[in-house]
Amino acid sequence: MFDRIAQTVSYQTLTLDSPVQITIKRLDQIHPHISGNKFFKLKHNLLEAQKQAAKKIITFGGAYSNHIAAAAYAAHLFGFESIGIIRGEELADKPLNHTLSKAQHFGMQLQFFSREKYRQKDTEAFLQQLKKEHPDAYIVPEGGSNALAILGCQEILTDDDRKNYDVICCAVGTGGTILGLIEASSTHQKILGFSALKGEFLQKEIALKTTKSNWKITDDYCFGGYAKTTVELFTFIQNFEQQYQIPLEQIYTGKMLFGLLNLIENNHFAKNTRILVIHSGGLQGRKMPFSDSNQ
Ligand SMILES: *Cc1c(COP(=O)(O)O)cnc(C)c1O
């Protein structure tokens, strides 16, 4: 079922004034509502929920979460009810933003939790209580990152992707996607992750979950932290979109491409390096404060 709804993904090689080659794998095209890496992260989770004869999907996210938007639609498509537990109880009294109203439109029931309560979401006690309240539910963690998500993300790379590229770049949030890519990569390849969050903790967490060492995560291009932006970043995105006709967003893919082009400018890569960039989608959360009114 999941594979049947996948649309064709294109590869676009950028014309660069540089001795390295960048090709973008447009996972943003895989599905209009289950976009990018979230398609791969949700796939085996929903198949498993079906196998367990669950009636309902429960998952977690922030107010702008691409995962929440994708999970709402995927659950709807599979005939599950869905509950989205959203960080921030203050949001309950406000009009829903674009992401949340879309999720609700697809039938997701939204529950707003205080930050304190939300922080408990991975604890055994919390999960047990949730299961007691919803015995017919299948629970997907925040960002969708669990073992089945990593399994799904291994399917992002094809045999040709393993053969034809030296470096694979992706944006990193919770790390599920990069773990799949690392596992699926060929040993001659390097996986380079651009963190959307500040800090070394991801590097350490990922290292615990893989035995491979052909990867690296940098937070040099997180622009100060998750969802933080600058005029420079928006200007970059706008120029990039105009030049290549490839849409980006400001949380993940915009920062990754800013970082990658910066590394290339600083001669970080050897001549003729063939780089595959995973466009992980997320365009439902795209915001362009001074170029259009999409908020
Ligand atoms: C969720 C998301 C990521 C991060 O994926 P993780 O598996 O959490 O690291 C990257 N890019 C986009 C567009 C996303 O929506």
Side-chain angles (χ1 to χ4, degrees):
M1 157 80 171
F2 235 83
D3 289 329
R4 259 196 290 132
I5 61 167
Q7 300 184 8
T8 309
V9 161
S10 66
Y11 290 75
Q12 262 171 276
T13 298
L14 307 187
T15 327
L16 284 180
D17 187 18
S18 154
V20 305
Q21 178 204 300
I22 299 186
T23 302
I24 309 219
K25 183 167 187 168
R26 300 278 311 271
L27 295 189
D28 57 303
Q29 297 170 335
I30 201 159
H31 192 278
H33 298 301
I34 315 171
S35 134
N37 60 342
K38 301 305 185 282
F39 183 94
F40 294 88
K41 297 180 82 169
L42 285 166
K43 176 180 167 182
H44 291 286
N45 276 297
L46 292 203
L47 294 174
E48 179 61 24
Q50 267 185 334
K51 213 158 91 187
Q52 293 180 10
K55 291 221 163 42
K56 193 189 281 171
I57 303 293
I58 303 182
T59 193
F60 306 84
Y64 295 92
S65 167
N66 295 328
H67 165 68
I68 287 290
Y73 188 83
H76 162 74
L77 200 65
F78 271 68
F80 294 114
E81 292 169 38
S82 66
I83 297 179
I85 295 178
I86 310 300
R87 184 180 61 236
E89 63 190 333
E90 72 282 1
L91 299 172
D93 307 321
K94 292 189 183 153
L96 297 179
N97 69 18
H98 170 72
T99 303
L100 297 180
S101 60
K102 220 170 96 170
Q104 193 178 59
H105 174 77
F106 293 133
M108 184 174 263
Q109 184 204 328
L110 303 172
Q111 296 185 359
F112 297 92
F113 276 28
S114 69
R115 273 144 230 277
E116 197 189 337
K117 199 167 161 201
Y118 188 87
R119 228 175 283 128
Q120 311 292 313
K121 69 190 180 309
D122 297 321
T123 64
E124 205 43 50
F126 181 92
L127 290 171
Q128 264 175 23
Q129 179 63 28
L130 200 60
K131 276 193 193 132
K132 217 165 91 188
E133 283 167 30
H134 305 278
D136 54 354
Y138 179 88
I139 300 170
V140 180
E142 183 182 47
S145 282
N146 56 12
L148 289 176
I150 295 168
L151 183 72
C153 288
Q154 293 184 30
E155 296 171 16
I156 292 173
L157 293 186
T158 63
D159 286 341
D160 280 346
D161 296 342
R162 275 182 280 273
K163 251 189 322 224
N164 297 341
Y165 301 96
D166 309 301
V167 175
I168 295 165
C169 293
C170 69
V172 181
T174 58
T177 304
I178 196 170
L179 269 163
L181 294 172
I182 291 168
E183 292 313 316
S185 67
S186 157
T187 44
H188 77 82
Q189 296 180 307
K190 285 257 175 317
I191 316 298
L192 179 55
F194 292 86
S195 179
L197 291 79
K198 201 175 175 59
E200 296 277 284
F201 66 99
L202 265 169
Q203 188 91 15
K204 290 182 187 138
E205 265 179 40
I206 305 287
L208 292 173
K209 291 184 185 162
T210 178
T211 54
K212 288 180 145 183
S213 54
N214 60 333
W215 59 275
K216 199 185 151 211
I217 295 176
T218 174
D219 70 349
D220 287 351
Y221 302 99
C222 71
F223 287 78
Y226 186 74
K228 296 231 166 82
T229 55
T230 64
V231 170
E232 191 189 16
L233 176 65
F234 282 118
T235 306
F236 168 80
I237 291 174
Q238 206 173 24
N239 290 338
F240 184 94
E241 290 179 342
Q242 256 167 26
Q243 193 169 354
Y244 300 112
Q245 308 298 314
I246 298 174
L248 302 175
E249 44 66 56
Q250 71 287 350
I251 298 180
Y252 295 106
T253 54
K255 290 179 178 181
M256 164 176 64
L257 276 149
F258 182 100
L260 177 60
L261 294 184
N262 189 263
L263 288 175
I264 290 172
E265 237 165 69
N266 293 317
N267 299 314
H268 178 83
F269 300 101
K271 209 176 144 189
N272 299 327
T273 302
R274 300 161 306 168
I275 301 170
L276 181 68
V277 174
I278 305 299
H279 190 317
S280 39
L283 296 171
Q284 70 86 24
R286 180 180 176 277
K287 202 186 218 170
M288 278 287 128
F290 49 79
S291 69
D292 61 39
S293 58
N294 179 10
Q295 53 107 27

